[in-house]
Amino acid sequence: MADESGLVKVHSVLTVVSSRPVGSMKNHPLTGPDHAMGRHTLHMVFYYENTSFGSFDTDPVRESLSEVLCQYPAVTGRLTREDAGNWEVKCNDAGVRILRARVGVTIDEWLRCTDGSKERDLTVWEDMPENPSTWSPFRIQINDFEGGGLAIGLSCTHMHADPTSLILLLKSWTEVHRHQPIAYPPFFLPVAPHGARPVPVNHTKSTIYLADKSQAQAPSVKMASATFKFSDSIIKQCLSEIRHDKCPSATPFDFLAALFWTRVESLKKPKHDCKYTLSICVDFRRLLHEPLPYGYFGNALHFSLLSVDGEEMECGGLGHAAELVNRQVSSLKEEEFWSAIHSLESQKDEGGKYAPPCTMYGPELTCVSMEHMIVRHQSLIYSTIFDSVKPIHVSCHMGNVEGEGLILVMPSAEEGLARMVMVTLPEEEIVNLCKDQAILCLEPKLLLAGKI
């Protein structure tokens, strides 16, 4: 394989606007939960074999993008401050920045041998300038590989959208391109509790955790990432053992979160007398009594903290850790979601400006579940089909992960219980994790881990 430096060459930049003018929706205010994600960015890459968009300037795929953007005025708009100083999107149809790039290797070589940090080159990003009035907060990069195939990189500020929003934006694009109705149309109304019942704000687990997080500081260290793909048969076997031994209702997420949590902790100094902590992030769209539409556009993420004595973790083993994760996720109640939302909405100064954002992906080790993207046994992530071609791989990166790192559990291109785990850790730890025998004995396929 060639030298990795300069493998991705951007050769053109253009702006795509919606095919029809913006309608009645002129401004889209960002919520308290949106503002809380202000330190982070979001980057996703969808890989397709044997697919090409031609020149794009005249390709029908550009026409379908212009058409779908009519449904997403908040995507084509620009950030501005409202009177209190909070962010909102001015829906002026200024357009989305599109980049075209060539990659100097085949798609197989890239996935097999490239360092995970290089993947960000497929989603070239410019941080928000001091005056973002002309800055595109959404970017799409189309990368052509040698020998055919492409990768579509989508990037945005995490204030605008969460992973579900970005995935469904691409899915909507592919559906319009194939002349199909949009399965999950975007929904831009703010989240609001049902009825007039009072919502607890103070002294819940969620509000206490968010208050602690707002004060937390994490050291800045160089991070690296790697991706592990586990087969359907392996996950079925491991779940069978855990369900029989410890946790009858264990899910693939419970098992993999527990596996990587315990293995990452094993890379550190012994913590027999210390706490093992894991921040668990779930999407709450479908967990409310009156569920939000899948197409809700914004941030519908809930963070909760799992904390366990080191002695209990060391004695209980992997099955016990999976049981703890399962119990944490299944015990989340609607009151906790509303409590967290209202806590973030109420954190304003006297002028009505939201509190500064904090590091949501850190400083604790954070594990994100994407199990909600499996609907009726099918993954919405891999239903982003151009023509008749499904993605062969999908990556997701959160920008500005700090502290102990990030574990992201996602559906895999293989159907069934197969899962993919993307791990971002301090550089030295990721090297050791990729050699960890407790993980390697499960025969994962290792992607984007360089030459480890």
Side-chain angles (χ1 to χ4, degrees), residues 51-346:
T51 300
S52 174
F53 285 171
S55 68
F56 193 74
D57 290 332
T58 57
D59 197 291
V61 77
R62 179 176 178 177
E63 296 179 11
S64 59
L65 177 58
S66 292
E67 184 66 23
V68 80
L69 289 177
C70 297
Q71 305 290 323
Y72 288 86
V75 171
T76 59
R78 295 294 182 262
L79 278 169
T80 186
R81 297 274 193 183
E82 43 96 272
D83 292 342
N86 296 315
W87 290 113
E88 63 180 8
V89 181
K90 184 178 182 181
C91 299
N92 56 3
D93 197 25
V96 175
R97 204 77 77 230
I98 307 291
L99 300 90
R100 292 300 305 268
R102 295 187 182 90
V103 187
V105 294
T106 67
I107 193 170
D108 288 337
E109 287 177 313
W110 178 272
L111 291 172
R112 187 177 66 251
C113 302
T114 303
D115 187 298
S117 63
K118 299 293 183 183
E119 192 172 36
R120 292 288 288 273
D121 292 343
L122 302 181
T123 61
V124 170
W125 181 251
E126 296 176 4
D127 289 333
M128 183 170 63
E130 186 174 342
N131 179 8
S133 59
T134 61
W135 176 77
S136 176
F138 282 81
R139 290 165 187 263
I140 300 173
Q141 183 169 321
I142 300 170
N143 307 274
D144 297 293
F145 288 92
E146 284 190 356
L150 60 83
I152 301 176
L154 288 82
S155 298
C156 66
T157 68
H158 213 318
M159 285 196 302
H160 279 75
D162 59 15
T164 300
S165 300
L166 210 54
I167 290 165
L168 293 184
L169 169 62
L170 182 65
K171 179 175 170 61
S172 297
W173 179 11
T174 65
E175 289 164 342
V176 170
H177 183 66
R178 289 180 287 140
H179 306 289
Q180 296 178 348
I182 295 176
Y184 302 101
F187 179 82
F188 291 100
L189 294 179
V191 183
H194 173 67
R197 67 180 184 274
V199 179
V201 175
N202 298 316
H203 307 304
T204 65
K205 292 180 180 178
S206 296
T207 56
I208 294 170
Y209 179 43
L210 289 172
D212 291 341
K213 185 177 282 292
S214 67
Q215 303 298 320
Q217 299 290 329
S220 179
V221 297
K222 187 175 181 180
M223 309 294 275
S225 64
T227 300
F228 302 79
K229 297 185 77 169
F230 296 89
S231 68
D232 172 71
S233 59
I234 283 292
I235 298 297
K236 283 181 178 176
Q237 177 186 333
C238 294
L239 279 180
S240 176
E241 295 171 359
I242 287 179
R243 287 169 176 172
H244 180 267
D245 181 41
K246 284 281 186 181
C247 185
S249 59
T251 67
F253 173 76
D254 301 331
F255 164 65
L256 290 168
L259 173 66
F260 280 85
W261 181 24
T262 54
R263 299 321 300 164
V264 169
E265 292 289 1
S266 74
L267 301 177
K268 308 178 189 299
K269 295 179 180 179
K271 298 175 66 175
H272 183 77
D273 297 326
C274 302
K275 290 281 188 180
Y276 283 64
T277 59
L278 182 69
S279 175
I280 297 179
C281 173
V282 300
D283 186 292
F284 63 75
R285 282 173 174 80
R286 313 307 290 175
L287 299 180
L288 300 175
H289 178 69
E290 291 190 0
L292 284 172
Y294 267 108
Y296 171 75
F297 200 87
N299 284 280
L301 301 177
H302 181 80
F303 294 80
S304 64
L305 187 65
L306 174 56
S307 182
V308 188
D309 288 334
E311 183 176 2
E312 178 182 348
M313 279 288 286
E314 292 173 7
C315 295
L318 179 59
H320 181 61
E323 182 183 22
L324 292 172
V325 174
N326 176 271
R327 189 187 307 162
Q328 178 79 4
V329 174
S330 61
S331 67
L332 292 172
K333 304 298 183 184
E334 183 163 0
E335 288 73 17
E336 288 290 336
F337 302 140
W338 290 123
S339 175
I341 292 169
H342 279 257
S343 175
L344 293 170
E345 289 288 351
S346 63

